[in-house]
Amino acid sequence: MRVHVVEHPLVAHKISVLRDKTTPSPVFRQLTEELVTLLSYEATRDIRTREVTVETPVATTKGVAFAKPTPLVVPILRAGLGMLEGMMRLLPTAEVGFLGMARNEETLDIITYAERLPEDLSNRQVFVIDPMLATGGTLVESIGYLFDHGADQVTCICLIAAPEGVERLRKAYGDDERVNLYVAALDECLDENAYIVPGLGDAGDRLYGLAE
């Protein structure tokens, strides 16, 4: 497994505004989309392509197109939906699937409550999007679920990650070159409630205007 912390002034600036508790939901959503587009640019460097012939206004030339099967983008419900538009802006021809996985706040166990994926994921490059990598339980379960259904490679894109979550992914997929993680910031730790510190609060609530 490879971990990439995307270091760029634009990324750092947008993350700083997201962290600010006074940032309103509309701005939070817009910045989230912009951040995901920036992260996706880095995360898709190894996307598979094929050679195609292109007719320009003046000549015929060689170009590239996505290889078949096309990439699959999988947001983790519900907060991952806030990242989908930013990803699809970069990959408009990709297919979209959905996984509904949630953390039981008392036991910290991961519960799968919804799934909408293609029946066959053979040879698929899958991009999982979820704002927060906290304990790592959701991503570990999601990656395993996708591999069980035939996925060939899984790249996870998160805004914020905690070291504990990254370590859990390493324990599960440390030697697996099919797994990649791209994050905008690697934070300090988890608190006693398994929230990322300093973090940015509950991403889902802030995206959809439910934060206090």
Side-chain angles (χ1 to χ4, degrees):
M1 186 189 83
R2 294 179 295 174
V3 179
H4 310 262
V5 180
V6 178
E7 296 181 353
H8 190 285
L10 285 177
V11 172
H13 167 69
K14 293 177 191 298
I15 281 290
S16 297
V17 180
L18 285 186
R19 292 190 192 277
D20 190 335
K21 66 181 182 180
T22 66
T23 298
S25 289
V27 176
F28 194 95
R29 286 194 295 271
Q30 179 183 344
L31 289 173
T32 295
E33 291 181 8
E34 293 173 358
L35 265 170
V36 174
T37 300
L38 292 171
L39 293 175
S40 299
Y41 178 79
E42 296 295 332
T44 55
R45 285 186 179 275
D46 295 328
I47 203 166
R48 296 169 189 156
T49 60
R50 56 188 172 88
E51 187 177 273
V52 295
T53 300
V54 179
E55 293 284 348
T56 80
V58 296
T60 300
T61 188
K62 298 295 183 183
V64 298
F66 290 151
K68 299 293 185 178
T70 56
L72 178 68
V73 179
V74 178
I76 304 299
L77 303 178
R78 71 183 158 119
L81 287 176
M83 302 172 69
L84 182 58
E85 185 62 30
M87 185 81 183
M88 296 308 292
R89 186 175 293 117
L90 200 65
L91 299 174
T93 60
E95 293 186 21
V96 178
F98 298 93
L99 274 178
M101 291 189 171
R103 183 179 67 184
N104 184 306
E105 297 300 334
E106 294 182 358
T107 67
L108 302 185
D109 291 334
I110 303 302
I111 302 170
T112 301
Y113 62 87
E115 175 268 315
R116 185 69 174 178
L117 297 170
E119 290 186 8
D120 185 10
L121 296 183
S122 299
N123 300 316
R124 285 282 190 136
Q125 285 182 296
V126 181
F127 294 87
V128 176
I129 49 178
D130 196 11
M132 313 295 282
L133 171 54
T135 65
T138 299
L139 275 190
V140 167
E141 292 292 331
S142 300
I143 294 167
Y145 191 96
L146 293 165
F147 281 149
D148 288 344
H149 285 71
D152 184 62
Q153 183 184 76
V154 178
T155 297
C156 304
I157 301 174
C158 302
L159 302 181
I160 303 286
E164 293 90 337
V166 174
E167 181 60 26
R168 186 164 180 177
L169 280 182
R170 287 191 188 279
K171 287 182 178 179
Y173 301 106
D175 296 327
D176 196 332
E177 297 181 353
R178 300 174 300 165
V179 179
N180 290 281
L181 171 65
Y182 285 80
V183 301
L186 182 60
D187 276 11
E188 297 173 10
C189 62
L190 296 177
D191 66 12
E192 64 276 8
N193 297 312
Y195 279 89
I196 301 175
V197 178
L200 46 78
D202 188 303
D205 285 353
R206 297 193 66 189
L207 280 165
Y208 302 117
L210 300 177
E212 295 182 357

